[in-house]
Amino acid sequence: MYWDRAAETMDRRDLERLQLERLNATLQRAAHAPYYRDLHGARGAGPLPSLVDIAGLPFTTKADLRDHFPYGFLAVPMEDVVRLHSSSGTTGNPTVIYHTRADIEAWADLAARSMYMTGVRKADVFQNMMGYGLFTGGIGLHYGAERLGALTIPIGPGNSKRQLWFMRQFRTTVVHILPSYALRLATFFAETSIDPRKDLALRIAFIGAEPHTEETRRRIEQVWGIKVYNSYGLSEMCGPGVAFECPEQNGMHLWEDHFILEIVDPDTGRVLPEGEWGELVLTSLARAATPLIRYRTRDLTRILPGPCACGRTHRRIDRIRGRSDDMLIINGVNLFPMQVERTLMREPAIGSNYLIEVHEENFMDRLHVKVELRQEAFEGTLAELEHLAARVTDELTAELGVTPVVKLLEAGSLPAAEGKAVRVVDLRKSGGKGA
Ligand code: AMP
Ligand code: ZN
């Protein structure tokens, strides 16, 4: 049941002792990176007498990583580096994360631990539909699955026909997939009269890399007839395998022997107590090449209080609600794209894709929600369609506190990204940053 029983079920006091030890070792190692040497001095910021003292250290942000490109955060000699991953934003330098061989092995182990937790075993066939390359999604669980001993098919995303062929040919039991693509593939199954329950051998899917709602998870579970687990990670800490759901499906265990977990108020930076929503801040505890201290992930979540029935002692975080920077302000009302998704996914007639557009009309913000319908929805009368549009508008208004313009579209009419889904297009001149 456990991949690493000692680590996963460690007594909290022992776990915290291990964290402090590893934190102090990390602070010492970080002093070799130019950025932290300048910040903390050549002797490093430690040793800290207790874990709570971490709150006295400054945060590290994505902008810091960019500004100190390419080597500011490198804490080992370049010859010890075996891999780098990089992500480029829309502006400025890319961010680069380096890995030693030991970093890669530790990451693979966390990925194996996470997958094993949900029931993946050696005999499974793992079809990895996440992107490979500089993006860490595909390669992260790939190494985990191989370490676990499962047959791994590194197919990557897209080309639904080929995905289906592999699933049938090799009796795939486990997939790793973007939630937005899982919804689209469900539509493809319906179009090609595939009943995943009868025609395929699937049991488990891992979804992650982009925010999604509980309603989306349940929908994928229903259509595919499998168990779907939420997988969280970010390149800055390694990639997938940072936090993962167990069979209880009640939040994601964040692997605290490898990361220190804090939730802070995104505006003030104050550390928040368990149960309160805020921004996830992570400190790596076992990474050599690019140790990061108090890294602001910008992901919004909370710590779920109480122990988990699975016996693991690592605390759980809630589903990521969105990012602190993807909140929309519509005529002064704050809302998150996930609130729209939650409402849409409750409506059975709604298909697999949607897009939020923010327009400026007569100096006012106007929210447009474009949604694809399932094919059957167009078989009814026009009056039925109008009725559906009105109902969706009402439900969105109740959830958001803003009345959107709802446009119902045929399946396949919205752009479908191969990578992470683009859910929001802000067409306001101000870009929504306050005019
Ligand atoms: P990347 O650095 O490209 O690997 O992207 C990491 C980011 O993807 C995270 O900071 C999150 O914003 C997002 N992400 C990853 N996993 C999840 C998940 N399970 N739920 C929601 N967002 C996720
Ligand atoms: Zn659990």
Side-chain angles (χ1 to χ4, degrees):
M1 178 176 165
Y2 302 107
W3 174 256
D4 184 346
R5 176 186 290 271
E8 291 170 55
T9 63
M10 192 178 283
D11 179 83
R12 288 285 321 168
R13 262 173 318 188
D14 295 337
L15 185 53
E16 284 168 15
R17 207 171 300 133
L18 178 72
Q19 284 190 308
L20 182 61
E21 211 172 275
R22 289 187 167 179
L23 171 62
N24 282 325
T26 295
L27 292 175
Q28 222 168 22
R29 269 201 309 272
H32 296 288
Y35 176 80
Y36 287 118
R37 195 173 49 226
D38 290 348
L39 192 69
H40 299 145
R43 286 180 40 236
L48 298 178
S50 75
L51 277 178
V52 292
D53 296 310
I54 195 174
L57 300 179
F59 293 117
T60 305
T61 64
K62 187 132 190 146
D64 295 329
L65 289 178
R66 285 217 177 90
D67 293 346
H68 298 271
F69 172 87
Y71 301 123
F73 283 86
L74 179 64
V76 297
M78 200 57 187
E79 63 181 34
D80 291 340
V81 173
V82 301
R83 194 191 308 160
L84 65 78
H85 281 280
S86 167
S87 68
S88 53
T90 40
T91 53
N93 289 329
T95 57
V96 187
I97 301 295
Y98 300 99
H99 302 260
T100 63
R101 186 179 299 280
D103 289 339
I104 297 286
E105 275 170 17
W107 176 18
D109 202 60
L110 284 184
R113 184 198 284 186
S114 302
M115 297 167 85
Y116 193 90
M117 170 165 74
T118 66
V120 180
R121 296 295 179 269
K122 228 175 142 303
D124 275 299
V125 177
F126 174 58
Q127 189 163 329
N128 193 0
M129 305 187 196
M130 246 347 143
Y132 279 77
L134 288 172
F135 172 57
T136 51
I139 210 165
L141 290 200
H142 178 107
Y143 271 57
E146 285 190 351
R147 192 178 195 88
L148 212 152
L151 167 58
T152 305
I153 307 175
I155 189 163
N159 196 340
S160 303
K161 239 167 110 179
R162 191 168 59 143
Q163 300 285 1
L164 182 60
W165 186 86
F166 271 90
M167 284 194 248
R168 297 180 105 166
Q169 186 68 30
F170 298 101
R171 308 298 294 158
T172 300
T173 54
V174 183
V175 298
H176 180 206
I177 185 168
L178 284 169
S180 51
Y181 187 46
L183 289 171
R184 288 217 303 283
L185 206 49
T187 308
F188 176 78
F189 288 155
E191 283 165 9
T192 45
S193 306
I194 293 290
D195 178 353
R197 285 181 175 77
K198 285 212 297 287
D199 304 326
L200 305 174
L202 295 176
R203 334 189 266 121
I204 293 174
F206 304 124
I207 59 173
E210 59 187 21
H212 58 282
T213 56
E214 182 65 24
E215 285 74 10
T216 295
R217 181 246 290 279
R218 292 299 169 209
R219 184 183 271 220
I220 299 167
E221 287 196 324
Q222 253 165 30
V223 179
W224 289 53
I226 56 176
K227 279 280 186 196
V228 174
Y229 295 100
N230 194 0
S231 151
Y232 173 79
L234 65 166
S235 333
E236 294 89 329
M237 291 295 132
C238 57
V242 173
F244 222 85
E245 268 183 336
C246 73
E248 302 291 326
Q249 292 185 313
N250 57 357
M252 298 177 279
H253 288 284
L254 195 138
W255 299 124
E256 292 185 88
D257 52 341
H258 282 255
F259 307 99
I260 288 181
L261 147 68
E262 297 173 273
I263 302 290
V264 307
D265 180 321
D267 297 325
T268 64
R270 191 171 61 88
V271 178
L272 297 174
E274 255 183 33
E276 281 189 32
W277 285 92
E279 179 180 346
L280 177 67
V281 170
L282 293 172
T283 299
S284 70
L285 291 178
R287 292 179 52 73
T290 316
L292 292 179
I293 295 154
R294 301 198 86 204
Y295 182 69
R296 305 266 313 229
T297 66
R298 297 185 288 177
D299 293 323
L300 300 174
T301 182
R302 59 178 174 159
I303 297 173
L304 294 165
C308 184
C310 76
R312 290 177 184 82
T313 50
H314 300 239
R315 286 178 299 173
R316 291 163 295 128
I317 56 167
D318 208 333
R319 184 178 292 289
I320 308 293
R321 182 195 263 183
R323 300 174 63 106
S324 54
D325 46 4
D326 69 13
M327 187 179 76
L328 287 167
I329 306 179
I330 307 296
N331 299 322
V333 178
N334 300 350
L335 58 94
F336 283 97
M338 283 305 107
Q339 290 176 273
V340 173
E341 177 171 310
R342 189 183 311 145
T343 306
L344 296 179
M345 288 301 141
R346 276 194 215 120
E347 174 59 61
I350 285 175
S352 55
N353 206 354
Y354 70 92
L355 181 70
I356 300 166
E357 279 178 2
V358 194
H359 295 251
E360 210 171 279
E361 291 164 11
N362 301 325
F363 306 104
M364 294 287 283
D365 302 331
R366 200 78 164 109
L367 190 71
H368 290 233
V369 179
K370 297 178 165 177
V371 283
E372 289 185 5
L373 294 186
R374 295 158 64 99
Q375 213 42 51
E376 306 88 84
F378 287 99
E379 284 155 17
T381 63
L382 196 60
E384 279 167 349
L385 271 182
E386 279 168 3
H387 187 71
L388 175 65
R391 190 168 71 230
V392 172
T393 308
D394 286 349
E395 282 167 7
L396 284 170
T397 306
E399 168 74 34
L400 308 172
V402 164
T403 304
V405 180
V406 172
K407 294 204 176 113
L408 304 178
L409 305 168
E410 278 188 67
S413 38
L414 290 172
E418 183 143 291
K420 301 189 190 207
V422 178
R423 297 305 196 189
V424 180
V425 179
D426 200 329
L427 299 163
R428 289 175 289 189
K429 284 190 214 75
S430 64
K433 301 287 176 262

